[in-house]
């Protein structure tokens, strides 16, 4: 089988991304463990974990605008350099303050890298719009692989050489990703997207909130984040209520990761048969069903099976959202993706607190039912988006 140029570029970018993703997947584990093992409370460890999302929640829109002006390739490499600098601080002088500084800098660097990588793939010339979804799905597979691989590498390094060695190892790995980016065909030249730069600081925000179709896309992106965080945060809580072992809970989470990986692998085929809106309608409907069924599943194996199904559905969310954003505003793709990232990270910082408060008062079941209801509404809204798109296509065809 001969690969197309787009596929070769995406595979090259996946290789770079797997190494760069270590910063987030491994860094969060290292930060939490460092705080806990150096006298910090569980609450402080949670803050260290969440600090990686602080800068993306505040600055993703500006990072996206930066991508639009200078091009994704330059932003990717600048972000990789920032991650290396952040990781060297606790590697050379391990302390709680440098661990938090690393979390801030690496959170910024990883957000810039991920946004730029997604925009680089979105900018590729595709013969069929559905191919963009497939390649974005392939890129997400790299993140899934790093999510499973990163904590293992960091845990091994901590056990063998301590935290300084673990942060040094992550710096070396990200350094390897930076060097690799100069050796492979990474898409996204340095020219930037200067066709129609935004006028004023809130151009995309103004566009989104003045256009109901665009606003629907961004609200659905927030539901994708709600689902991810709801499952990741509440599955251990539900498992504790049911008396599951840590091994069983870990197995359930691994099944979810396997589901997202499988969806990423299949997206190039699915995108040739289903539009973005159609896929999201099915994915949100499946998510709603899984969240309604999880409280009824008292077997760890059954919850693992449901976790795989949810992962399979959730894996379709972000690639389709990003594809719709690029199609709606190709000249502001970076800023548009940045707004999505900012909204998603804001949900990631606030939703677990809300879930935890509700679970503390009423148990885990109401949280799962609530998220399931929101996902059902999102499925209905995706169906309306599909119908709206079909009407626009039919109208354009009749005018021709």
């Amino acid at each position: 089988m001969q690969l197309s140029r787009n596929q070769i570029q995406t595979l090259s970018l996946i290789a770079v991304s797997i190494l760069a993703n270590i910063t987030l997947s491994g860094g969060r584990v290292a930060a939490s463990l460092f705080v806990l093992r150096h006298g910090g409370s569980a609450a402080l460890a949670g803050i260290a974990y969440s600090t990686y999302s602080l800068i993306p929640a505040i600055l993703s829109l500006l990072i996206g605008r930066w991508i639009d002006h200078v091009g994704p390739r330059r932003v990717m490499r600048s972000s990789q350099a920032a991650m290396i600098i952040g990781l060297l601080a606790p590697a050379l002088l391990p302390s709680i303050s440098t661990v938090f500084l690393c979390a801030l800098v690496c959170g910024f660097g990883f957000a810039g890298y991920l946004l730029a990588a997604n925009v680089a793939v979105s900018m590729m010339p595709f013969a069929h719009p559905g191919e963009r979804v497939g390649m974005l799905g392939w890129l997400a597979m790299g993140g899934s692989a790093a999510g499973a691989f990163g904590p293992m590498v960091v845990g091994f390094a901590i056990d063998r050489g301590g935290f300084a060695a673990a942060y040094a190892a992550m710096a070396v790995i990200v350094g390897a990703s930076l060097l690799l980016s100069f050796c492979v065909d990474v898409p996204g030249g340095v020219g930037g997207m200067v066709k129609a730069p935004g006028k004023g600081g809130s151009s995309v925000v103004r566009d989104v909130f003045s256009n109901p179709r665009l606003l629907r896309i961004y609200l659905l992106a927030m539901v994708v984040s709600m689902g991810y965080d709801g499952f990741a945060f509440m599955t251990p809580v539900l498992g504790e209520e049911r008396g599951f072992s840590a091994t069983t809970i870990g197995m359930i989470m691994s099944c979810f990761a396997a589901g997202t990986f499988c969806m990423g692998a299949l997206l190039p085929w699915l995108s040739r048969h289903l539009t973005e809106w159609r896929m999201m309608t099915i994915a949100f409907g499946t998510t709603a069903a899984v969240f309604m069924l999880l409280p009824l599943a008292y077997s760890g194996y059954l919850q693992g099976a449901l976790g795989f199904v949810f992962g399979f559905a959730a894996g379709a969310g972000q690639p389709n959202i990003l594809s719709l954003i690029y199609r709606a505003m190709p000249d502001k793709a970076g800023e548009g993706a940045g707004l999505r990232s900012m909204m998603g990270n804001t949900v990631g910082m606030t939703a677990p607190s809300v879930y935890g408060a509700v679970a503390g008062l009423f148990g885990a079941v109401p949280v799962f039912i609530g998220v399931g209801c929101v996902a059902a509404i999102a499925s209905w809204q995706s169906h309306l988006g599909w119908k709206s798109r079909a009407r626009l296509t039919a109208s354009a065809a009749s005018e021709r």
Side-chain angles (χ1 to χ4, degrees), residues 184-241:
V184 300
D185 188 14
V186 176
V190 297
M193 289 168 282
V194 295
K195 292 177 290 184
K199 300 175 182 178
S202 60
S203 57
V204 166
V205 176
R206 188 166 55 246
D207 291 346
V208 168
F209 284 92
S210 63
N211 186 328
R213 295 188 184 90
L214 269 177
L215 183 60
R216 177 185 282 129
I217 295 171
Y218 280 88
L219 291 177
L220 291 175
M222 294 181 73
V223 179
V224 171
S225 298
M226 284 182 62
Y228 267 101
D229 293 320
F231 187 85
F233 183 78
M234 291 305 302
T235 294
V237 176
L238 184 63
E240 284 293 311
E241 288 186 5

Coordinates of all heavy atoms in Angstrom, one line a residue, residues 184-241:
V184 N 12.3 15.2 9.8 CA 11.1 14.6 9.1 C 10.4 15.7 8.5 O 10.6 16.9 8.7 CB 10.2 13.9 10.1 CG1 11.0 12.7 10.8 CG2 9.7 14.8 11.2
D185 N 9.4 15.3 7.6 CA 8.6 16.3 6.8 C 7.4 16.7 7.7 O 6.3 16.2 7.5 CB 8.1 15.6 5.6 CG 7.5 16.6 4.6 OD1 7.6 17.8 4.8 OD2 6.8 16.1 3.7
V186 N 7.7 17.7 8.6 CA 6.7 18.2 9.4 C 5.9 19.3 8.6 O 6.5 20.2 8.1 CB 7.2 18.8 10.7 CG1 6.1 19.5 11.5 CG2 8.0 17.8 11.5
P187 N 4.5 19.1 8.5 CA 3.8 20.1 7.8 C 3.6 21.4 8.5 O 3.8 21.5 9.7 CB 2.4 19.4 7.7 CG 2.3 18.5 8.8 CD 3.7 18.1 9.1
G188 N 3.3 22.5 7.7 CA 3.0 23.8 8.4 C 4.2 24.7 8.3 O 5.0 24.8 9.2
G189 N 4.4 25.3 7.1 CA 5.5 26.2 6.9 C 5.5 27.4 7.8 O 4.6 27.7 8.5
V190 N 6.5 28.2 7.7 CA 6.7 29.3 8.6 C 6.1 30.6 8.1 O 6.2 31.6 8.7 CB 8.2 29.6 8.8 CG1 8.9 28.4 9.5 CG2 9.0 29.9 7.5
G191 N 5.3 30.5 7.0 CA 4.8 31.7 6.4 C 3.6 32.3 7.1 O 3.2 33.4 7.0
G192 N 2.9 31.4 7.9 CA 1.7 31.9 8.6 C 0.5 31.9 7.6 O 0.6 31.8 6.4
M193 N -0.6 32.1 8.2 CA -1.9 32.3 7.4 C -2.2 33.7 7.4 O -3.0 34.2 8.2 CB -3.0 31.4 8.1 CG -2.7 29.9 7.9 SD -3.8 28.9 8.9 CE -3.0 29.0 10.5
V194 N -1.7 34.5 6.5 CA -1.8 35.9 6.5 C -2.9 36.4 5.5 O -3.0 37.5 5.2 CB -0.5 36.6 6.2 CG1 0.5 36.3 7.3 CG2 0.1 36.1 4.8
K195 N -3.7 35.4 5.1 CA -4.7 35.8 4.0 C -5.7 36.8 4.6 O -6.1 37.8 3.9 CB -5.4 34.5 3.5 CG -4.6 33.6 2.8 CD -5.3 32.4 2.4 CE -5.6 31.5 3.6 NZ -6.3 30.2 3.2
A196 N -6.1 36.6 5.8 CA -7.1 37.5 6.4 C -7.0 37.5 7.9 O -7.8 37.0 8.6 CB -8.5 37.1 6.0
P197 N -6.0 38.2 8.4 CA -5.8 38.2 9.8 C -6.9 38.9 10.5 O -7.5 39.8 10.0 CB -4.5 38.9 10.0 CG -4.3 39.8 8.8 CD -5.0 39.0 7.7
G198 N -7.2 38.4 11.8 CA -8.3 39.0 12.5 C -8.1 40.5 12.8 O -7.0 40.9 13.1
K199 N -9.1 41.2 12.8 CA -9.0 42.6 13.2 C -9.5 42.8 14.6 O -10.7 42.6 14.9 CB -9.9 43.5 12.2 CG -9.5 43.3 10.8 CD -10.5 44.1 9.9 CE -10.1 44.0 8.4 NZ -11.0 44.6 7.5
G200 N -8.6 43.2 15.5 CA -9.0 43.4 16.9 C -8.7 42.1 17.7 O -8.6 41.0 17.2
G201 N -8.7 42.3 19.0 CA -8.3 41.2 19.9 C -9.4 40.1 20.0 O -9.0 39.0 20.5
S202 N -10.6 40.3 19.7 CA -11.6 39.3 20.0 C -12.4 38.9 18.7 O -13.6 38.7 18.8 CB -12.6 39.8 21.0 OG -13.2 41.0 20.6
S203 N -11.7 38.9 17.6 CA -12.4 38.7 16.3 C -13.1 37.3 16.2 O -14.3 37.2 15.9 CB -11.4 38.8 15.1 OG -10.3 37.9 15.3
V204 N -12.4 36.3 16.6 CA -13.0 34.9 16.6 C -14.1 34.8 17.6 O -15.2 34.3 17.4 CB -11.9 33.8 16.8 CG1 -12.6 32.5 17.1 CG2 -11.1 33.7 15.5
V205 N -13.9 35.4 18.8 CA -14.9 35.3 19.8 C -16.2 36.0 19.3 O -17.3 35.6 19.5 CB -14.4 36.0 21.1 CG1 -15.5 36.1 22.2 CG2 -13.2 35.2 21.7
R206 N -16.0 37.2 18.7 CA -17.1 37.9 18.2 C -17.8 37.1 17.1 O -19.0 37.1 17.0 CB -16.7 39.3 17.6 CG -17.8 40.2 17.2 CD -17.3 41.7 17.1 NE -16.2 41.7 16.1 CZ -14.9 42.1 16.5 NH1 -14.6 42.4 17.7 NH2 -14.0 42.1 15.6
D207 N -17.0 36.5 16.2 CA -17.6 35.7 15.1 C -18.4 34.6 15.7 O -19.5 34.3 15.2 CB -16.5 35.1 14.3 CG -15.8 36.2 13.4 OD1 -16.4 37.3 13.3 OD2 -14.7 35.9 12.9
V208 N -17.9 33.9 16.7 CA -18.6 32.7 17.3 C -19.9 33.1 17.9 O -20.9 32.4 17.7 CB -17.6 32.0 18.3 CG1 -18.4 30.9 19.1 CG2 -16.5 31.3 17.5
F209 N -19.9 34.1 18.7 CA -21.1 34.5 19.5 C -22.1 35.2 18.7 O -23.2 35.5 19.1 CB -20.7 35.2 20.8 CG -20.1 34.3 21.8 CD1 -18.8 34.2 21.9 CD2 -21.0 33.7 22.7 CE1 -18.2 33.3 22.9 CE2 -20.4 32.9 23.7 CZ -19.1 32.7 23.8
S210 N -21.7 35.6 17.4 CA -22.7 36.2 16.6 C -23.2 35.3 15.5 O -24.1 35.6 14.7 CB -22.1 37.4 15.9 OG -21.0 37.1 15.0
N211 N -22.7 34.0 15.5 CA -23.1 33.0 14.5 C -23.6 31.8 15.2 O -22.8 31.0 15.8 CB -21.9 32.7 13.6 CG -22.2 31.8 12.4 OD1 -23.1 30.9 12.5 ND2 -21.6 32.0 11.3
P212 N -24.9 31.5 15.2 CA -25.4 30.4 15.9 C -24.8 29.0 15.5 O -24.6 28.1 16.3 CB -26.9 30.4 15.6 CG -27.2 31.8 15.2 CD -26.0 32.3 14.6
R213 N -24.5 28.9 14.2 CA -23.9 27.6 13.7 C -22.5 27.4 14.3 O -22.2 26.3 14.8 CB -23.8 27.6 12.2 CG -25.1 27.6 11.5 CD -25.0 27.4 10.0 NE -26.2 27.5 9.3 CZ -26.7 28.6 8.8 NH1 -26.1 29.8 8.9 NH2 -27.9 28.7 8.2
L214 N -21.7 28.5 14.4 CA -20.4 28.4 15.0 C -20.5 28.2 16.5 O -19.7 27.4 17.1 CB -19.6 29.7 14.7 CG -18.7 29.7 13.5 CD1 -18.0 31.1 13.4 CD2 -17.6 28.6 13.5
L215 N -21.4 28.9 17.1 CA -21.6 28.7 18.6 C -22.0 27.3 18.9 O -21.5 26.7 19.9 CB -22.7 29.7 19.1 CG -22.9 29.7 20.6 CD1 -21.7 30.0 21.3 CD2 -24.0 30.7 20.9
R216 N -22.8 26.6 18.1 CA -23.1 25.2 18.3 C -21.9 24.3 18.3 O -21.8 23.5 19.2 CB -24.1 24.8 17.2 CG -24.5 23.3 17.4 CD -25.4 22.8 16.2 NE -26.7 23.2 16.4 CZ -27.5 23.8 15.5 NH1 -26.9 24.1 14.3 NH2 -28.7 24.2 15.7
I217 N -21.0 24.6 17.4 CA -19.7 23.8 17.3 C -19.0 23.9 18.6 O -18.5 22.9 19.2 CB -18.9 24.2 16.1 CG1 -19.6 23.9 14.8 CG2 -17.5 23.5 16.2 CD1 -18.9 24.5 13.6
Y218 N -18.8 25.1 19.1 CA -18.0 25.3 20.3 C -18.7 24.8 21.6 O -18.0 24.3 22.5 CB -17.7 26.8 20.5 CG -16.5 27.2 19.6 CD1 -16.7 27.7 18.3 CD2 -15.2 27.2 20.0 CE1 -15.7 28.0 17.4 CE2 -14.2 27.5 19.2 CZ -14.4 27.9 17.9 OH -13.4 28.2 17.1
L219 N -20.0 24.9 21.7 CA -20.7 24.3 22.8 C -20.6 22.8 22.8 O -20.4 22.2 23.8 CB -22.2 24.7 22.8 CG -22.4 26.2 23.0 CD1 -23.9 26.5 22.9 CD2 -21.9 26.6 24.4
L220 N -20.6 22.2 21.6 CA -20.4 20.8 21.5 C -19.0 20.4 21.9 O -18.8 19.3 22.5 CB -20.7 20.3 20.1 CG -22.2 20.4 19.7 CD1 -22.4 20.0 18.2 CD2 -23.1 19.5 20.5
A221 N -18.0 21.2 21.6 CA -16.7 21.0 22.0 C -16.6 20.9 23.5 O -15.8 20.1 24.1 CB -15.7 22.0 21.4
M222 N -17.3 21.8 24.2 CA -17.3 21.8 25.7 C -17.9 20.5 26.2 O -17.5 20.0 27.2 CB -18.1 23.0 26.2 CG -17.4 24.3 25.9 SD -18.2 25.8 26.5 CE -17.9 25.6 28.3
V223 N -18.9 20.0 25.5 CA -19.5 18.7 26.0 C -18.6 17.6 25.8 O -18.5 16.7 26.6 CB -20.8 18.4 25.2 CG1 -21.5 17.1 25.6 CG2 -21.9 19.6 25.4
V224 N -17.7 17.6 24.7 CA -16.7 16.6 24.6 C -15.8 16.6 25.8 O -15.5 15.5 26.4 CB -15.9 16.8 23.3 CG1 -14.7 15.9 23.3 CG2 -16.8 16.6 22.1
S225 N -15.4 17.8 26.2 CA -14.5 17.9 27.4 C -15.2 17.4 28.7 O -14.6 16.8 29.5 CB -14.0 19.4 27.6 OG -13.3 19.8 26.5
M226 N -16.5 17.8 28.8 CA -17.2 17.3 30.0 C -17.3 15.8 30.0 O -17.1 15.2 31.1 CB -18.7 17.8 29.9 CG -18.9 19.3 30.3 SD -20.6 19.7 30.2 CE -21.3 18.7 31.5
G227 N -17.4 15.1 28.9 CA -17.5 13.7 28.9 C -16.2 13.1 29.3 O -16.1 12.2 30.1
Y228 N -15.1 13.6 28.7 CA -13.8 13.1 29.0 C -13.5 13.2 30.5 O -13.1 12.3 31.2 CB -12.7 13.9 28.3 CG -12.3 13.3 26.9 CD1 -12.8 13.7 25.7 CD2 -11.4 12.2 26.9 CE1 -12.4 13.2 24.5 CE2 -10.9 11.7 25.7 CZ -11.5 12.1 24.5 OH -11.1 11.6 23.3
D229 N -13.7 14.4 31.0 CA -13.4 14.7 32.5 C -14.4 13.9 33.4 O -14.0 13.5 34.4 CB -13.5 16.2 32.7 CG -12.4 17.0 32.1 OD1 -11.3 16.5 32.0 OD2 -12.7 18.1 31.5
G230 N -15.6 13.8 32.9 CA -16.6 13.0 33.7 C -16.2 11.6 33.9 O -16.2 11.0 35.0
F231 N -15.7 11.0 32.8 CA -15.3 9.6 32.9 C -14.0 9.4 33.7 O -13.9 8.6 34.5 CB -15.2 9.0 31.5 CG -14.9 7.5 31.5 CD1 -16.0 6.6 31.5 CD2 -13.6 7.0 31.4 CE1 -15.7 5.2 31.6 CE2 -13.4 5.6 31.5 CZ -14.5 4.8 31.5
A232 N -13.0 10.3 33.3 CA -11.7 10.1 34.0 C -11.7 10.4 35.5 O -11.1 9.7 36.2 CB -10.7 11.1 33.3
F233 N -12.6 11.4 35.9 CA -12.6 11.8 37.3 C -13.6 10.9 38.1 O -13.3 10.5 39.2 CB -13.0 13.2 37.4 CG -13.0 13.7 38.8 CD1 -11.9 14.1 39.5 CD2 -14.2 13.9 39.5 CE1 -11.9 14.5 40.8 CE2 -14.2 14.3 40.8 CZ -13.1 14.6 41.5
M234 N -14.7 10.5 37.5 CA -15.7 9.8 38.2 C -15.6 8.3 38.2 O -16.2 7.7 39.1 CB -17.1 10.2 37.7 CG -17.5 11.7 38.0 SD -17.4 12.1 39.7 CE -18.6 10.9 40.4
T235 N -14.9 7.7 37.2 CA -14.8 6.3 37.2 C -14.1 5.8 38.5 O -14.6 4.8 39.1 CB -14.1 5.8 36.0 OG1 -14.9 6.1 34.8 CG2 -13.8 4.3 36.0
P236 N -13.0 6.4 38.9 CA -12.4 5.9 40.2 C -13.4 6.1 41.4 O -13.4 5.3 42.3 CB -11.2 6.8 40.4 CG -10.8 7.2 39.0 CD -12.1 7.4 38.3
V237 N -14.2 7.2 41.4 CA -15.1 7.5 42.5 C -16.2 6.4 42.5 O -16.5 5.8 43.6 CB -15.7 8.9 42.3 CG1 -16.8 9.1 43.4 CG2 -14.7 9.9 42.4
L238 N -16.7 6.1 41.4 CA -17.7 5.0 41.3 C -17.1 3.7 41.6 O -17.7 2.8 42.3 CB -18.3 4.9 39.9 CG -19.5 3.9 39.7 CD1 -20.7 4.3 40.5 CD2 -19.9 3.9 38.2
G239 N -15.9 3.4 41.2 CA -15.2 2.2 41.5 C -15.0 2.0 43.0 O -15.2 0.9 43.6
E240 N -14.7 3.1 43.7 CA -14.5 3.1 45.2 C -15.8 2.8 45.8 O -15.9 2.0 46.8 CB -14.0 4.4 45.7 CG -12.5 4.6 45.4 CD -11.6 3.6 46.3 OE1 -11.9 3.5 47.5 OE2 -10.8 3.0 45.7
E241 N -16.9 3.4 45.3 CA -18.2 3.1 45.9 C -18.6 1.6 45.7 O -19.3 1.0 46.6 CB -19.3 4.0 45.2 CG -19.2 5.4 45.6 CD -20.4 6.2 45.0 OE1 -21.3 5.6 44.4 OE2 -20.4 7.5 45.2

